Coordinates of all heavy atoms in Angstrom, one line a residue:
A12 N 4.0 1.9 -9.4 CA 3.2 2.4 -8.4 C 1.8 2.8 -8.9 O 1.2 3.7 -8.5 CB 3.8 3.6 -7.7
K13 N 1.3 1.9 -9.9 CA 0.0 2.2 -10.4 C -1.0 1.1 -9.7 O -0.6 0.0 -9.6 CB -0.1 2.2 -11.8 CG 0.7 3.2 -12.5 CD 0.6 3.1 -14.1 CE 1.5 4.2 -14.7 NZ 1.4 4.1 -16.1
V14 N -2.2 1.6 -9.5 CA -3.2 0.7 -9.0 C -4.0 0.1 -10.1 O -4.5 0.8 -11.0 CB -4.2 1.5 -8.1 CG1 -5.2 0.5 -7.5 CG2 -3.4 2.2 -6.9
G15 N -4.1 -1.3 -10.1 CA -4.7 -2.0 -11.3 C -6.2 -1.9 -11.2 O -6.8 -1.5 -10.1
G16 N -6.9 -2.2 -12.3 CA -8.3 -2.0 -12.4 C -9.2 -2.8 -11.3 O -10.1 -2.2 -10.7
A17 N -8.8 -4.1 -11.1 CA -9.5 -4.9 -10.2 C -9.3 -4.2 -8.7 O -10.2 -4.3 -7.9 CB -9.1 -6.3 -10.1
D18 N -8.1 -3.8 -8.4 CA -7.8 -3.2 -7.1 C -8.5 -1.9 -6.9 O -9.0 -1.6 -5.9 CB -6.3 -3.1 -6.9 CG -5.6 -4.4 -6.9 OD1 -6.1 -5.3 -6.3 OD2 -4.4 -4.5 -7.3
K19 N -8.5 -1.1 -8.1 CA -9.3 0.2 -7.9 C -10.7 -0.1 -7.6 O -11.3 0.6 -6.8 CB -9.3 0.9 -9.3 CG -8.0 1.7 -9.5 CD -8.0 2.5 -10.7 CE -6.7 3.3 -11.0 NZ -6.7 3.9 -12.2
K20 N -11.4 -1.1 -8.3 CA -12.7 -1.5 -8.0 C -12.9 -1.9 -6.5 O -13.8 -1.4 -5.8 CB -13.1 -2.7 -8.9 CG -14.6 -3.0 -8.7 CD -15.0 -4.2 -9.5 CE -16.4 -4.4 -9.4 NZ -16.8 -5.8 -9.5
S21 N -12.0 -2.7 -5.9 CA -12.1 -3.0 -4.6 C -12.0 -1.8 -3.6 O -12.7 -1.8 -2.6 CB -11.0 -4.0 -4.3 OG -11.1 -5.3 -4.9
L22 N -11.0 -0.9 -3.9 CA -11.0 0.3 -3.1 C -12.1 1.2 -3.1 O -12.5 1.7 -2.1 CB -9.6 1.0 -3.5 CG -8.3 0.3 -3.3 CD1 -7.2 1.0 -3.9 CD2 -8.1 0.3 -1.7
R23 N -12.7 1.2 -4.3 CA -13.9 2.1 -4.5 C -15.1 1.4 -3.6 O -15.9 2.1 -3.1 CB -14.4 2.3 -5.9 CG -13.5 3.2 -6.7 CD -14.0 3.6 -8.0 NE -14.1 2.5 -8.9 CZ -13.2 2.2 -9.9 NH1 -12.1 3.0 -10.1 NH2 -13.4 1.1 -10.6
E24 N -15.2 0.1 -3.7 CA -16.1 -0.6 -2.9 C -16.0 -0.4 -1.3 O -17.0 -0.2 -0.6 CB -16.2 -2.2 -3.2 CG -16.7 -2.4 -4.5 CD -16.5 -3.9 -5.0 OE1 -15.8 -4.6 -4.2 OE2 -17.0 -4.2 -6.1
L25 N -14.7 -0.3 -1.0 CA -14.4 -0.1 0.5 C -14.9 1.2 0.8 O -15.4 1.5 1.8 CB -12.9 -0.2 0.7 CG -12.4 0.2 2.1 CD1 -12.9 -0.6 3.2 CD2 -10.8 0.2 2.1
A26 N -14.6 2.2 -0.1 CA -15.0 3.6 0.2 C -16.4 3.7 0.3 O -17.0 4.5 1.1 CB -14.5 4.6 -1.0
E27 N -17.2 3.2 -0.7 CA -18.6 3.0 -0.6 C -19.2 2.5 0.7 O -20.1 3.0 1.4 CB -19.2 2.3 -1.8 CG -20.7 2.5 -1.8 CD -21.3 1.7 -3.2 OE1 -20.6 1.9 -4.2 OE2 -22.3 1.1 -3.0
S28 N -18.6 1.4 1.2 CA -19.1 0.7 2.3 C -18.9 1.6 3.6 O -19.6 1.7 4.5 CB -18.5 -0.7 2.6 OG -17.0 -0.6 2.9
L29 N -17.7 2.4 3.6 CA -17.3 3.2 4.6 C -18.3 4.5 4.8 O -18.7 5.0 5.8 CB -15.9 3.8 4.6 CG -14.9 2.7 5.0 CD1 -13.5 3.3 4.7 CD2 -15.1 2.3 6.4
A30 N -18.8 4.9 3.5 CA -19.7 6.0 3.4 C -21.0 5.8 4.1 O -21.7 6.6 4.5 CB -19.8 6.5 2.0
H31 N -21.4 4.4 4.0 CA -22.8 4.0 4.5 C -22.7 3.5 5.9 O -23.7 3.0 6.4 CB -23.4 3.0 3.6 CG -23.7 3.5 2.2 ND1 -23.8 4.8 1.8 CD2 -23.7 2.8 1.0 CE1 -24.0 5.0 0.6 NE2 -23.9 3.8 0.1
S32 N -21.5 3.6 6.6 CA -21.2 3.0 7.9 C -21.6 4.2 8.9 O -21.3 5.4 8.8 CB -19.9 2.6 8.0 OG -19.7 2.2 9.4
N33 N -22.3 3.7 9.9 CA -22.5 4.7 11.1 C -21.3 4.9 12.0 O -21.3 5.8 12.8 CB -23.7 4.2 11.8 CG -25.0 4.3 11.1 OD1 -25.2 5.1 10.2 ND2 -26.0 3.5 11.4
S34 N -20.4 3.9 11.9 CA -19.2 4.0 12.8 C -18.1 4.7 12.2 O -18.2 4.9 10.9 CB -18.8 2.6 13.1 OG -19.7 1.8 13.7
K35 N -17.2 5.3 13.0 CA -16.1 6.0 12.4 C -14.9 5.0 12.4 O -14.7 4.3 13.4 CB -15.8 7.2 13.4 CG -16.7 8.2 13.4 CD -16.8 9.0 12.1 CE -17.8 10.1 12.2 NZ -17.8 10.9 11.0
Y36 N -14.2 5.1 11.3 CA -13.1 4.2 11.1 C -11.9 5.0 10.6 O -12.0 6.2 10.1 CB -13.3 3.3 9.9 CG -14.4 2.2 10.2 CD1 -15.8 2.4 9.9 CD2 -14.0 1.1 10.8 CE1 -16.7 1.5 10.2 CE2 -15.0 0.1 11.1 CZ -16.3 0.3 10.9 OH -17.3 -0.7 11.1
T37 N -10.7 4.5 10.9 CA -9.5 5.0 10.4 C -8.9 4.0 9.4 O -9.0 2.8 9.6 CB -8.4 5.4 11.5 OG1 -8.2 4.2 12.2 CG2 -9.1 6.5 12.4
L38 N -8.1 4.5 8.4 CA -7.5 3.6 7.5 C -6.0 3.8 7.5 O -5.5 5.0 7.7 CB -7.9 3.8 6.0 CG -9.4 3.5 5.7 CD1 -9.7 3.9 4.3 CD2 -9.8 2.0 6.0
K39 N -5.3 2.7 7.6 CA -3.7 2.7 7.6 C -3.3 2.0 6.3 O -3.7 0.9 6.1 CB -3.1 2.1 8.8 CG -1.7 2.2 8.9 CD -1.2 1.6 10.1 CE 0.4 1.7 10.2 NZ 0.9 1.1 11.4
I40 N -2.6 2.8 5.4 CA -2.2 2.3 4.1 C -0.7 2.1 4.2 O 0.0 3.1 4.6 CB -2.6 3.2 3.1 CG1 -4.0 3.4 3.1 CG2 -2.0 2.7 1.7 CD1 -4.5 4.6 2.1
V41 N -0.2 0.9 4.1 CA 1.2 0.6 4.2 C 1.8 0.0 2.9 O 1.2 -1.0 2.4 CB 1.5 -0.4 5.4 CG1 3.0 -0.7 5.6 CG2 0.9 0.0 6.6
G42 N 2.8 0.7 2.2 CA 3.4 0.3 1.1 C 4.6 -0.5 1.3 O 5.4 -0.2 2.3
Y43 N 4.9 -1.4 0.5 CA 6.1 -2.3 0.5 C 6.7 -2.5 -0.8 O 6.2 -2.1 -1.9 CB 5.7 -3.7 0.9 CG 5.0 -3.8 2.2 CD1 3.7 -3.6 2.4 CD2 5.8 -4.0 3.5 CE1 3.0 -3.8 3.7 CE2 5.1 -4.1 4.7 CZ 3.8 -3.9 4.7 OH 3.1 -4.0 6.0
A44 N 8.1 -2.9 -0.8 CA 8.8 -3.2 -2.0 C 9.4 -4.5 -1.9 O 9.7 -5.0 -0.8 CB 9.7 -2.0 -2.3
S45 N 9.9 -5.0 -3.1 CA 10.7 -6.3 -3.1 C 12.1 -5.9 -2.8 O 12.5 -4.6 -2.8 CB 10.6 -7.0 -4.4 OG 11.2 -6.1 -5.5
K46 N 13.0 -6.8 -2.5 CA 14.3 -6.5 -2.1 C 15.2 -6.3 -3.3 O 16.3 -5.8 -3.4 CB 15.0 -7.6 -1.4 CG 14.3 -7.9 0.0 CD 15.0 -8.9 0.8 CE 14.4 -9.0 2.2 NZ 14.0 -7.9 3.0
R47 N 14.8 -6.6 -4.5 CA 15.5 -6.4 -5.7 C 15.5 -5.1 -6.3 O 14.5 -4.5 -6.3 CB 15.0 -7.5 -6.8 CG 15.9 -7.6 -8.0 CD 15.3 -8.3 -9.1 NE 14.4 -7.2 -9.8 CZ 13.7 -7.3 -10.9 NH1 13.7 -8.5 -11.5 NH2 13.0 -6.3 -11.4
L48 N 16.7 -4.7 -6.7 CA 16.8 -3.4 -7.4 C 17.9 -3.7 -8.5 O 19.0 -3.8 -8.1 CB 17.0 -2.3 -6.5 CG 17.1 -0.9 -7.1 CD1 15.7 -0.4 -7.7 CD2 17.4 0.1 -6.0
D49 N 17.5 -3.7 -9.7 CA 18.5 -3.9 -10.8 C 19.5 -2.8 -10.9 O 19.3 -1.8 -10.7 CB 17.8 -4.0 -12.1 CG 16.9 -5.4 -12.2 OD1 17.2 -6.3 -11.5 OD2 16.0 -5.4 -13.0
H50 N 20.8 -3.3 -11.1 CA 21.9 -2.4 -11.4 C 22.3 -1.4 -10.3 O 23.0 -0.4 -10.5 CB 21.6 -1.5 -12.6 CG 21.2 -2.4 -13.8 ND1 22.0 -3.3 -14.4 CD2 20.0 -2.4 -14.4 CE1 21.2 -3.9 -15.4 NE2 20.0 -3.4 -15.4
V51 N 21.9 -1.7 -9.0 CA 22.3 -1.0 -7.9 C 22.9 -1.9 -6.9 O 22.3 -2.9 -6.5 CB 21.1 -0.2 -7.3 CG1 21.6 0.6 -6.0 CG2 20.5 0.8 -8.3
T52 N 24.1 -1.7 -6.5 CA 24.8 -2.6 -5.6 C 25.1 -2.0 -4.2 O 25.3 -2.6 -3.3 CB 26.2 -3.0 -6.1 OG1 26.9 -1.8 -6.5 CG2 26.0 -3.8 -7.3
D53 N 24.9 -0.7 -4.1 CA 25.1 -0.1 -2.9 C 23.8 -0.3 -1.9 O 22.7 0.1 -2.2 CB 25.3 1.5 -3.1 CG 25.3 2.3 -1.7 OD1 26.4 2.4 -1.2 OD2 24.4 2.8 -1.3
F54 N 24.1 -0.9 -0.8 CA 23.0 -1.3 0.1 C 22.1 -0.2 0.5 O 20.9 -0.3 0.5 CB 23.6 -2.0 1.3 CG 22.6 -2.6 2.3 CD1 21.8 -3.6 2.0 CD2 22.4 -1.9 3.5 CE1 20.8 -4.1 3.0 CE2 21.3 -2.3 4.4 CZ 20.7 -3.4 4.1
A55 N 22.7 0.9 1.0 CA 22.0 2.0 1.3 C 21.0 2.6 0.3 O 19.9 3.0 0.6 CB 22.9 3.1 2.0
M56 N 21.6 2.7 -0.9 CA 20.8 3.1 -2.0 C 19.6 2.2 -2.3 O 18.5 2.7 -2.6 CB 21.8 3.3 -3.3 CG 21.0 3.9 -4.5 SD 20.4 5.6 -4.4 CE 21.9 6.5 -4.5
V57 N 19.8 0.9 -2.3 CA 18.7 0.1 -2.4 C 17.7 0.3 -1.5 O 16.4 0.3 -1.9 CB 19.3 -1.5 -2.4 CG1 18.1 -2.5 -2.4 CG2 20.2 -1.8 -3.6
K58 N 18.0 0.4 -0.2 CA 17.1 0.6 0.9 C 16.3 1.9 0.5 O 15.1 2.0 0.6 CB 17.7 0.8 2.2 CG 18.2 -0.6 2.7 CD 17.1 -1.5 3.1 CE 17.5 -2.8 3.6 NZ 16.4 -3.7 3.6
E59 N 17.0 3.1 0.2 CA 16.4 4.3 0.0 C 15.3 4.3 -1.3 O 14.3 4.7 -1.2 CB 17.4 5.3 -0.3 CG 16.8 6.8 -0.6 CD 18.0 7.7 -0.9 OE1 19.2 7.5 -0.4 OE2 17.7 8.8 -1.5
V60 N 15.8 3.6 -2.4 CA 15.0 3.6 -3.6 C 13.8 2.7 -3.2 O 12.6 3.1 -3.6 CB 15.8 3.0 -4.7 CG1 14.8 2.7 -5.9 CG2 16.9 4.0 -5.2
N61 N 14.0 1.5 -2.5 CA 12.8 0.8 -2.3 C 11.8 1.5 -1.3 O 10.6 1.3 -1.4 CB 13.2 -0.6 -1.7 CG 13.8 -1.5 -2.8 OD1 13.3 -1.3 -3.9 ND2 14.6 -2.5 -2.5
L62 N 12.3 2.2 -0.3 CA 11.4 3.0 0.6 C 10.7 4.0 -0.2 O 9.4 4.1 0.0 CB 12.2 3.6 1.7 CG 11.4 4.3 2.8 CD1 10.6 3.2 3.6 CD2 12.4 4.9 3.8
K63 N 11.2 4.7 -1.2 CA 10.6 5.6 -2.0 C 9.4 5.0 -2.9 O 8.3 5.5 -3.1 CB 11.6 6.4 -2.9 CG 12.3 7.5 -2.1 CD 13.3 8.2 -3.0 CE 14.1 9.1 -2.2 NZ 15.1 9.8 -3.1
M64 N 9.9 3.8 -3.4 CA 8.9 2.9 -4.3 C 7.7 2.6 -3.4 O 6.6 2.7 -3.8 CB 9.5 1.8 -4.9 CG 8.7 1.2 -5.9 SD 8.5 2.0 -7.4 CE 6.8 2.0 -7.6
A65 N 7.9 2.1 -2.3 CA 6.9 1.6 -1.3 C 6.0 2.9 -1.0 O 4.7 2.8 -0.9 CB 7.4 1.1 0.1
Q66 N 6.5 4.0 -0.8 CA 5.8 5.3 -0.5 C 4.8 5.6 -1.7 O 3.7 6.0 -1.5 CB 6.7 6.5 -0.2 CG 5.9 7.6 0.2 CD 5.2 7.6 1.6 OE1 5.7 7.1 2.5 NE2 4.0 7.9 1.6
K67 N 5.4 5.5 -2.9 CA 4.7 5.8 -4.1 C 3.5 4.9 -4.2 O 2.4 5.3 -4.6 CB 5.5 5.6 -5.4 CG 6.5 6.8 -5.6 CD 7.3 6.6 -6.8 CE 8.3 7.8 -7.0 NZ 9.2 7.6 -8.1
R68 N 3.7 3.6 -3.9 CA 2.6 2.6 -4.0 C 1.6 3.0 -2.9 O 0.2 3.0 -3.3 CB 3.1 1.2 -3.7 CG 3.9 0.6 -4.8 CD 4.2 -0.9 -4.5 NE 4.8 -1.4 -5.7 CZ 6.2 -1.7 -5.7 NH1 6.9 -1.6 -4.7 NH2 6.7 -2.2 -6.8
A69 N 1.9 3.3 -1.8 CA 0.9 3.7 -0.7 C 0.2 4.9 -1.1 O -1.0 5.1 -1.0 CB 1.6 3.8 0.7
D70 N 0.9 5.9 -1.6 CA 0.3 7.2 -2.0 C -0.7 6.9 -3.2 O -1.8 7.6 -3.2 CB 1.3 8.2 -2.5 CG 2.2 8.8 -1.4 OD1 1.8 8.6 -0.2 OD2 3.2 9.3 -1.6
A71 N -0.4 6.0 -4.1 CA -1.3 5.7 -5.2 C -2.6 5.1 -4.6 O -3.8 5.5 -5.2 CB -0.7 4.8 -6.2
V72 N -2.5 4.3 -3.6 CA -3.9 3.7 -3.1 C -4.6 4.9 -2.4 O -5.8 4.9 -2.5 CB -3.4 2.6 -2.1 CG1 -4.7 2.2 -1.3 CG2 -2.9 1.3 -2.9
R73 N -3.9 5.7 -1.6 CA -4.5 6.8 -0.9 C -5.2 7.6 -1.9 O -6.3 8.1 -1.8 CB -3.5 7.6 -0.1 CG -4.2 8.9 0.6 CD -3.3 9.7 1.2 NE -2.3 10.3 0.2 CZ -1.1 10.8 0.4 NH1 -0.7 10.7 1.6 NH2 -0.3 11.2 -0.5
A74 N -4.6 7.9 -3.1 CA -5.3 8.8 -4.1 C -6.6 8.1 -4.6 O -7.6 8.9 -4.8 CB -4.3 9.1 -5.3
V75 N -6.5 6.9 -4.8 CA -7.8 6.2 -5.3 C -8.9 6.4 -4.2 O -10.0 6.6 -4.6 CB -7.6 4.8 -5.6 CG1 -8.9 4.0 -5.9 CG2 -6.6 4.6 -6.8
L76 N -8.6 6.2 -2.9 CA -9.6 6.3 -1.9 C -10.1 7.6 -1.7 O -11.2 7.9 -1.5 CB -9.0 5.7 -0.6 CG -8.8 4.2 -0.5 CD1 -7.9 3.9 0.8 CD2 -10.1 3.5 -0.4
E77 N -9.2 8.5 -1.8 CA -9.6 10.0 -1.7 C -10.5 10.4 -2.9 O -11.5 11.1 -2.7 CB -8.4 10.9 -1.7 CG -7.7 10.9 -0.4 CD -6.4 11.7 -0.3 OE1 -6.1 12.4 -1.3 OE2 -5.6 11.6 0.7
K78 N -10.1 9.9 -4.0 CA -11.1 10.2 -5.2 C -12.4 9.6 -5.0 O -13.4 10.1 -5.6 CB -10.3 9.7 -6.5 CG -11.1 10.1 -7.7 CD -10.2 9.7 -9.0 CE -11.0 10.1 -10.3 NZ -10.2 9.7 -11.5
A79 N -12.4 8.4 -4.3 CA -13.7 7.7 -4.2 C -14.5 8.3 -3.0 O -15.6 7.8 -2.7 CB -13.4 6.3 -3.9
G80 N -14.0 9.4 -2.4 CA -14.7 10.0 -1.4 C -14.3 9.9 0.2 O -15.0 10.4 1.0
I81 N -13.2 9.2 0.3 CA -12.6 9.0 1.8 C -11.9 10.2 2.1 O -11.2 10.8 1.4 CB -11.8 7.8 1.8 CG1 -12.4 6.5 1.4 CG2 -11.1 7.7 3.2 CD1 -13.5 6.0 2.4
S82 N -12.3 10.7 3.3 CA -11.7 12.0 3.8 C -10.2 11.7 4.2 O -9.8 10.6 4.8 CB -12.4 12.4 5.1 OG -11.7 13.4 5.9
V83 N -9.3 12.7 3.9 CA -8.0 12.6 4.2 C -7.8 12.4 5.6 O -6.7 11.9 6.1 CB -7.2 13.8 3.6 CG1 -7.1 13.7 2.0 CG2 -7.6 15.1 4.2
D84 N -8.7 13.0 6.5 CA -8.6 13.0 7.9 C -8.5 11.6 8.5 O -8.0 11.5 9.7 CB -9.8 13.8 8.6 CG -9.8 15.2 8.1 OD1 -8.7 15.7 7.8 OD2 -10.9 15.8 8.2
I85 N -9.0 10.6 7.9 CA -9.1 9.2 8.4 C -7.9 8.4 7.9 O -7.9 7.1 8.1 CB -10.4 8.6 8.4 CG1 -10.7 8.2 6.9 CG2 -11.6 9.4 8.8 CD1 -11.8 7.2 6.7
I86 N -7.1 8.8 7.0 CA -6.0 8.1 6.3 C -4.7 8.4 6.8 O -4.4 9.5 6.9 CB -6.1 8.3 4.7 CG1 -7.5 7.8 4.2 CG2 -5.0 7.5 4.1 CD1 -7.5 8.3 2.8
Q87 N -4.0 7.3 7.1 CA -2.6 7.4 7.6 C -1.8 6.6 6.6 O -2.2 5.4 6.2 CB -2.4 6.9 8.9 CG -1.0 6.8 9.4 CD -0.8 6.1 10.7 OE1 -1.8 5.7 11.3 NE2 0.5 5.9 11.2
V88 N -0.7 7.1 6.0 CA 0.1 6.3 5.0 C 1.5 6.1 5.7 O 2.1 7.0 6.3 CB 0.2 7.2 3.7 CG1 1.1 6.5 2.8 CG2 -1.2 7.5 3.1
E89 N 1.9 5.0 5.3 CA 3.2 4.5 5.8 C 4.0 3.7 4.7 O 3.4 3.0 4.0 CB 3.0 3.6 7.1 CG 4.4 3.2 7.7 CD 4.1 2.5 9.0 OE1 3.0 2.4 9.5 OE2 5.0 1.8 9.4
A90 N 5.3 3.9 4.7 CA 6.1 3.0 3.7 C 7.1 2.2 4.6 O 7.7 2.7 5.4 CB 6.8 3.9 2.7
K91 N 7.2 0.9 4.3 CA 8.1 0.0 4.9 C 9.2 -0.4 4.1 O 10.2 -1.2 4.4 CB 7.3 -1.2 5.5 CG 6.5 -0.8 6.5 CD 6.4 -1.7 7.7 CE 5.5 -1.2 8.8 NZ 5.5 -1.9 10.1
G92 N 9.2 0.0 2.7 CA 10.3 -0.5 1.8 C 10.3 -1.9 1.6 O 9.3 -2.6 1.6
D93 N 11.5 -2.4 1.8 CA 11.8 -3.9 1.6 C 11.9 -4.6 2.9 O 12.4 -5.7 3.0 CB 12.8 -4.2 0.6 CG 14.2 -3.7 1.0 OD1 14.3 -3.2 2.3 OD2 15.1 -3.6 0.3
A94 N 11.6 -3.9 4.0 CA 11.8 -4.4 5.4 C 11.0 -5.7 5.7 O 11.4 -6.5 6.6 CB 11.6 -3.4 6.4
V95 N 9.9 -5.9 5.2 CA 8.9 -7.0 5.5 C 8.5 -7.7 4.3 O 7.8 -7.2 3.5 CB 7.7 -6.4 6.3 CG1 6.8 -7.5 6.7 CG2 8.1 -5.5 7.5
S96 N 9.0 -8.9 4.2 CA 8.5 -9.9 3.1 C 7.1 -10.2 3.3 O 6.5 -10.5 4.5 CB 9.4 -11.1 3.1 OG 10.7 -10.7 2.6
N97 N 6.4 -10.5 2.3 CA 4.9 -11.0 2.4 C 4.9 -12.5 2.9 O 5.5 -13.3 2.2 CB 4.3 -10.8 1.0 CG 2.8 -11.2 1.0 OD1 2.4 -11.9 1.8 ND2 2.1 -10.7 0.0
P98 N 4.4 -12.7 4.0 CA 4.4 -14.0 4.5 C 3.5 -15.1 3.7 O 3.6 -16.3 4.0 CB 3.9 -13.9 6.0 CG 2.9 -12.7 5.9 CD 3.6 -11.8 4.9
S99 N 2.6 -14.6 2.8 CA 1.7 -15.5 2.1 C 1.8 -15.1 0.6 O 0.8 -14.4 0.1 CB 0.3 -15.3 2.7 OG 0.3 -15.5 4.0
P100 N 2.8 -15.5 0.0 CA 2.9 -15.1 -1.5 C 1.9 -15.8 -2.4 O 1.7 -15.3 -3.5 CB 4.3 -15.5 -1.8 CG 4.7 -16.4 -0.8 CD 4.0 -16.2 0.5
G101 N 1.3 -16.8 -1.9 CA 0.3 -17.5 -2.7 C 1.0 -18.1 -4.0 O 2.1 -18.7 -3.8
D102 N 0.3 -17.9 -5.2 CA 0.9 -18.5 -6.3 C 1.9 -17.5 -7.0 O 2.3 -17.8 -8.1 CB -0.2 -18.9 -7.3 CG -1.1 -17.8 -7.8 OD1 -0.9 -16.7 -7.2 OD2 -2.0 -18.0 -8.6
R103 N 2.3 -16.4 -6.4 CA 3.1 -15.5 -7.0 C 4.6 -15.8 -6.5 O 4.7 -16.5 -5.4 CB 2.8 -14.1 -6.6 CG 1.4 -13.7 -7.1 CD 0.9 -12.3 -6.4 NE 0.7 -12.7 -5.0 CZ 0.5 -11.7 -4.1 NH1 0.4 -10.4 -4.4 NH2 0.3 -12.0 -2.8
T104 N 5.6 -15.2 -7.2 CA 6.9 -15.3 -6.6 C 6.9 -14.4 -5.4 O 6.2 -13.6 -5.2 CB 8.0 -14.9 -7.6 OG1 7.8 -13.5 -7.9 CG2 7.8 -15.6 -8.9
Q105 N 7.9 -14.7 -4.6 CA 8.1 -13.9 -3.4 C 8.3 -12.5 -3.7 O 7.9 -11.5 -3.1 CB 9.2 -14.4 -2.4 CG 9.4 -13.7 -1.2 CD 8.3 -14.0 -0.2 OE1 8.0 -15.1 0.0 NE2 7.6 -13.0 0.2
E106 N 9.2 -12.2 -4.8 CA 9.4 -10.8 -5.3 C 8.2 -10.1 -5.7 O 7.9 -9.0 -5.3 CB 10.4 -10.9 -6.4 CG 10.8 -9.5 -6.9 CD 11.8 -9.6 -8.0 OE1 12.6 -10.6 -8.1 OE2 11.8 -8.6 -8.9
E107 N 7.2 -10.8 -6.4 CA 6.0 -10.2 -6.8 C 5.1 -9.9 -5.7 O 4.4 -8.9 -5.5 CB 5.2 -11.1 -7.8 CG 5.9 -11.3 -9.1 CD 5.3 -12.4 -10.0 OE1 4.8 -13.4 -9.4 OE2 5.4 -12.4 -11.3
A108 N 5.1 -10.9 -4.6 CA 4.2 -10.8 -3.6 C 4.6 -9.6 -2.7 O 3.8 -9.0 -1.9 CB 4.1 -12.1 -2.7
D109 N 6.0 -9.3 -2.7 CA 6.5 -8.3 -1.8 C 6.2 -7.0 -2.2 O 6.2 -5.9 -1.5 CB 8.0 -8.4 -1.6 CG 8.4 -9.7 -0.7 OD1 7.6 -10.1 -0.1 OD2 9.6 -10.0 -0.8
R110 N 5.9 -6.8 -3.6 CA 5.5 -5.5 -4.1 C 4.0 -5.3 -3.8 O 3.2 -5.8 -4.7 CB 5.8 -5.4 -5.6 CG 7.3 -5.5 -5.9 CD 7.5 -5.4 -7.4 NE 8.7 -6.0 -7.8 CZ 8.8 -6.7 -8.9 NH1 7.8 -7.0 -9.6 NH2 10.1 -7.3 -9.1
R111 N 3.7 -4.6 -2.7 CA 2.3 -4.7 -2.4 C 1.9 -3.3 -1.6 O 2.8 -2.7 -1.0 CB 1.9 -5.9 -1.6 CG 2.5 -5.9 -0.2 CD 2.4 -7.2 0.4 NE 2.9 -7.3 1.9 CZ 4.0 -7.3 2.3 NH1 5.0 -7.2 1.4 NH2 4.4 -7.3 3.5
V112 N 0.6 -3.3 -1.3 CA 0.1 -2.3 -0.3 C -1.0 -3.0 0.5 O -1.8 -3.7 0.0 CB -0.5 -1.0 -1.0 CG1 -1.2 -0.2 0.0 CG2 0.5 -0.3 -1.8
D113 N -0.8 -2.9 1.8 CA -1.8 -3.4 2.7 C -2.7 -2.2 3.2 O -2.1 -1.1 3.6 CB -1.1 -4.1 3.9 CG -0.4 -5.5 3.4 OD1 -0.8 -6.0 2.4 OD2 0.5 -5.8 4.2
V114 N -3.9 -2.4 3.4 CA -4.8 -1.5 3.9 C -5.5 -2.0 5.1 O -6.1 -3.1 5.1 CB -6.0 -1.0 2.9 CG1 -7.0 -0.1 3.5 CG2 -5.4 -0.5 1.6
Y115 N -5.3 -1.3 6.3 CA -5.9 -1.8 7.5 C -6.9 -0.8 8.0 O -6.8 0.4 7.9 CB -4.8 -1.7 8.7 CG -3.7 -2.7 8.3 CD1 -2.5 -2.2 7.7 CD2 -3.7 -4.0 8.6 CE1 -1.4 -3.0 7.5 CE2 -2.6 -4.9 8.3 CZ -1.4 -4.4 7.7 OH -0.5 -5.1 7.4
M116 N -8.1 -1.3 8.5 CA -9.2 -0.6 8.9 C -9.4 -0.8 10.5 O -9.5 -1.9 10.8 CB -10.4 -0.9 8.1 CG -11.6 -0.1 8.3 SD -13.0 -0.4 7.3 CE -13.6 -2.0 7.9
D117 N -9.4 0.3 11.1 CA -9.7 0.2 12.6 C -10.9 1.0 12.8 O -11.0 2.3 12.3 CB -8.4 0.7 13.4 CG -7.3 -0.3 13.3 OD1 -7.5 -1.5 13.4 OD2 -6.1 0.2 13.1
E118 N -11.6 0.6 13.9 CA -12.8 1.5 14.3 C -12.2 2.4 15.5 O -11.3 2.1 16.3 CB -13.8 0.6 15.0 CG -15.1 1.2 15.2 CD -16.2 0.2 15.5 OE1 -16.1 -1.0 15.6 OE2 -17.4 0.6 15.7
K119 N -12.7 3.6 15.4 CA -12.3 4.6 16.4 C -12.7 4.3 17.8 O -13.9 3.8 17.9 CB -12.7 6.1 16.0 CG -11.9 6.5 14.8 CD -12.3 8.0 14.5 CE -11.6 8.7 13.4 NZ -12.0 9.9 13.0

């Protein structure tokens, strides 16, 4: 649940662009997890652990944005666990692509 260097840079750039904007925006941060969980066979436990991991990912992104100056008042955080696969995995495996955080920006 750590944000990589390139992603931190992108998030800081987003924060900077919002700071210079005259419009009001809200950010929705949604965390996801892959369906795989080693050494756990109980379906309910897999779902619970993956939901917690997705929350940690989303919280890590929120922390970077807050540190960059984004007000907590405009941020909403949500975790979807392993419920939604990434529809565009690109050159990554599906499992790698499913471990992600999406950030949505809406104008108020």
